[in-house]
Amino acid sequence: MTPASPRNQLLYGTLDLLILRTLVYGPAHGHAIAGHIQRVSEDALRIETGSLYPALHRLEARGWIAAKWKTSDKGKRARYYRLTRTGRRQLAVEQSRWQQLSVAVTRVLRPAD
Amino acid sequence: MTPASPRNQLLYGTLDLLILRTLVYGPAHGHAIAGHIQRVSEDALRIETGSLYPALHRLEARGWIAAKWKTSDKGKRARYYRLTRTGRRQLAVEQSRWQQLSVAVTRVLRPAD
DNA sequence: ATTCATGGTGTAGACAATCTACGTCATATG
DNA sequence: CATATGACGTAGATTGTCTACACCATGAAT
């Protein structure tokens, strides 16, 4: 039903960074992580489930986040992710990489003289 | 000889934008475009030939740039690209897309409160 | 009772862009 | 003549995101 925006390919390369950054606030499950990013970015960044879960598994496989199943009183299962120590280091790396890219692109875009 | 930085996957999604922006200064051939971007970005952005030429052909196929072979007095052949009218419009689109992404990511990265 | 919305996790396969690693040809230089 | 450099190019691997599904549970509406 949703008109499905033409193309979103916007996220490429930044998703890991966004997820890691979000987990600084404390453990969260996938759905909540995506929701947080969407809200904080004021709807500019929308993470599809087909990007979200593969990304989480990827990050877990690399040891940057760790997961634990949790079941609420109501029997609701959710997989909570937390940032590991190496994940925190990786966050710094990715943050600086983003900064670098941002500065570099801005230099190229600088208005003509 | 250059030590070849470990991974460059940095450019994803920005290359078209960078090329289009560079052509605002006037027609140029591939090698020169790559050189310009590298210099202006102070070596942060390095475009491999395996990214450069496919990108140029892509942009040409989409009608955003147009090409013409030129031969110098010395018989040196080079393919000069210029920005088309639609290319100029596309540049605006991509520039705004980048701006959007930049702002959105910055929002998510904003230091914890 | 059963449909429906919502919350939550997940996969399969398509697609696109970049990279590495080649190859070609020409000119200029030692 | 060998080597460097300028210039263009392709093939194939890799990677990350997207679309489009499927599953399961709860709670609300008809």
Side-chain angles (χ1 to χ4, degrees):
Chain A
M1 175 118 317
T2 38
S5 47
R7 56 179 53 222
N8 245 2
Q9 208 68 0
L10 198 49
L11 281 170
Y12 219 107
T14 66
L15 184 49
D16 292 5
L17 169 59
L18 297 172
I19 292 174
L20 293 175
R21 182 60 182 84
T22 295
L23 288 178
V24 167
Y25 298 108
H29 60 264
H31 207 77
I33 294 172
H36 175 261
I37 293 172
Q38 185 169 342
R39 276 192 317 279
V40 172
S41 72
E42 294 176 25
D43 254 44
L45 304 174
R46 197 169 302 215
I47 302 172
E48 306 302 325
T49 73
S51 315
L52 176 63
Y53 294 106
L56 289 171
H57 302 157
R58 196 163 65 224
L59 296 178
E60 188 184 6
R62 291 178 185 165
W64 299 338
I65 61 180
K68 198 164 38 173
W69 282 105
K70 269 192 188 170
T71 310
S72 77
D73 321 348
K74 312 279 186 164
K76 287 238 188 189
R77 283 176 0 131
R79 198 156 167 78
Y80 277 77
Y81 291 92
R82 66 168 184 83
L83 207 50
T84 64
R85 205 160 298 163
T86 48
R88 213 168 270 273
R89 251 185 280 124
Q90 182 60 21
L91 169 56
V93 169
E94 304 228 1
Q95 215 152 2
S96 116
R97 196 201 296 288
W98 167 262
Q99 196 61 26
Q100 245 188 279
L101 174 64
S102 185
V103 167
V105 171
T106 299
R107 281 208 177 103
V108 179
L109 296 188
R110 189 169 285 159
D113 28 50
Chain B
M1 180 78 2
T2 39
S5 47
R7 60 180 51 225
N8 245 0
Q9 207 68 1
L10 196 50
L11 280 171
Y12 218 108
T14 67
L15 183 51
D16 292 5
L17 168 58
L18 297 173
I19 291 174
L20 293 176
R21 181 61 182 86
T22 295
L23 289 178
V24 167
Y25 297 109
H29 59 265
H31 207 78
I33 295 172
H36 176 261
I37 293 172
Q38 183 169 340
R39 276 192 317 277
V40 172
S41 72
E42 293 177 25
D43 255 43
L45 305 174
R46 197 168 302 213
I47 302 173
E48 305 301 324
T49 75
S51 317
L52 175 64
Y53 293 107
L56 289 172
H57 300 159
R58 195 163 67 224
L59 296 178
E60 188 183 6
R62 290 177 186 166
W64 299 337
I65 62 180
K68 198 164 42 173
W69 283 104
K70 269 191 186 171
T71 310
S72 77
D73 321 347
K74 312 280 186 165
K76 285 239 187 190
R77 278 172 10 122
R79 197 156 167 77
Y80 277 78
Y81 291 92
R82 64 169 183 85
L83 206 50
T84 64
R85 206 160 296 163
T86 49
R88 212 168 271 272
R89 253 186 277 122
Q90 182 60 22
L91 170 56
V93 169
E94 304 229 2
Q95 215 154 3
S96 118
R97 196 201 295 290
W98 166 261
Q99 196 61 26
Q100 245 188 277
L101 174 64
S102 185
V103 168
V105 171
T106 300
R107 279 206 178 104
V108 179
L109 296 188
R110 190 169 281 159
D113 25 47

